[in-house]
Amino acid sequence: CLIRLGANADSTVVEEPYDERMGLFGEGTKECPYKIACADNLKAIRQVTNDAETNALLTPSTYFIQTNDIDLYQASKKANREMGWIPIGNLSNCPFRGGYDGGGFLLENLWIHRPLFSESACVGLFGFAEQATFKRVTLQKAQVTGCLGVGSLLGCAMAVGDQRAKVALIGDTVKDSNISTSADGFAAGGLVGMVDCRADIMLERCANLSSDVSGDYGVGGLLGAGGKS
């Protein structure tokens, strides 16, 4: 991998590795997680996750940390001018795996409008996730509409194959947002839309602050429908 050189406050030279496969600085370990500083870095995660050939690079032990507030309005618009942000893990056979630490920073102005099932099932910043942990993530002013499994952070917590798998949310917050399903849609949650029948989900110290969640059925302030919590 490549190395980026920098300096800290006392002028000590700092070496920062760059992973060309991921398109991110860092090593993806707990000690040296991949750095997420802008919308383009999130797009890099999406490119790896949504490609069947590179999805296997992600494991439950792949770690990411956000290092700045990130405004997602322009990135959502550029992804698709009519439907907005393309979720990270937009297909059930290419789910996101790993640990994403929001670092206490904001993710603002996420925009998704995919009201038809044919356009996308399970939408949010992340679409499908398996064996994943999201902590200290704060979404603000998100506008997310879908048909099945709609959340600001995650559309669906899932498990591949016959083995059960857990997705954990720790200290995550959605605020001043609007999450909804279209007519006859199912499963809308402030943070997570739904949990499939083989997955387990844990929500700890999570909050919905002044965010509206609406739909015909399977609606919750944090979690829409399904599974254990």
Side-chain angles (χ1 to χ4, degrees):
C1 63
L2 302 177
I3 297 293
R4 177 170 66 180
L5 297 180
N8 60 19
D10 61 3
S11 299
T12 302
V13 174
V14 177
E15 294 184 351
E16 187 172 14
Y18 180 79
D19 189 327
E20 293 184 277
R21 301 171 307 164
M22 294 292 296
L24 295 169
F25 285 97
E27 297 178 333
T29 63
K30 249 184 191 180
E31 297 74 22
C32 184
Y34 293 122
K35 308 297 191 302
I36 308 302
C38 61
D40 283 345
N41 294 156
L42 287 168
K43 287 161 63 178
I45 301 177
R46 182 174 68 198
Q47 183 172 337
V48 170
T49 305
N50 294 7
D51 187 327
E53 293 185 5
T54 56
N55 182 268
L57 293 173
L58 299 169
T59 75
S61 298
T62 305
Y63 293 93
F64 304 84
I65 187 164
Q66 189 175 326
T67 59
N68 286 302
D69 291 340
I70 299 175
D71 191 314
L72 289 168
Y73 178 76
Q74 289 298 330
S76 298
K77 189 175 181 180
K78 287 179 181 178
N80 188 297
R81 293 184 65 86
E82 294 183 356
M83 294 184 287
W85 178 258
I86 300 169
I88 300 168
N90 66 329
L91 298 173
S92 60
N93 63 336
C94 290
F96 172 80
R97 301 179 196 87
Y100 187 96
D101 184 345
F105 293 99
L106 295 176
L107 290 163
E108 297 183 281
N109 299 313
L110 173 70
W111 168 62
I112 300 173
H113 184 72
R114 297 174 178 270
L116 302 180
F117 183 79
S118 59
E119 293 170 347
S120 192
C122 299
V123 296
L125 178 67
F126 294 83
F128 294 90
E130 179 199 36
Q131 299 184 73
T133 300
F134 303 94
K135 66 179 183 179
R136 301 193 296 168
V137 180
T138 299
L139 289 122
Q140 179 172 276
K141 298 179 181 177
Q143 302 289 325
V144 184
T145 299
C147 180
L148 170 67
V150 186
S152 62
L153 177 56
L154 177 62
C156 178
M158 62 168 294
V160 176
D162 297 328
Q163 303 230 345
R164 298 194 74 83
K166 179 185 282 188
V167 172
L169 280 72
I170 304 169
D172 301 321
T173 301
V174 56
K175 59 183 179 179
D176 303 324
S177 298
N178 194 304
I179 315 300
S180 63
T181 61
S182 52
D184 299 322
F186 173 67
L191 284 171
V192 183
M194 64 185 293
V195 184
D196 83 8
C197 60
R198 295 182 302 278
D200 292 311
I201 192 166
M202 179 184 77
L203 283 79
E204 179 181 317
R205 304 190 310 277
C206 294
N208 177 334
L209 305 177
S210 303
S211 296
D212 294 327
V213 186
S214 60
D216 283 348
Y217 57 106
V219 177
L222 294 175
L223 171 65
K228 299 177 181 179
S229 60

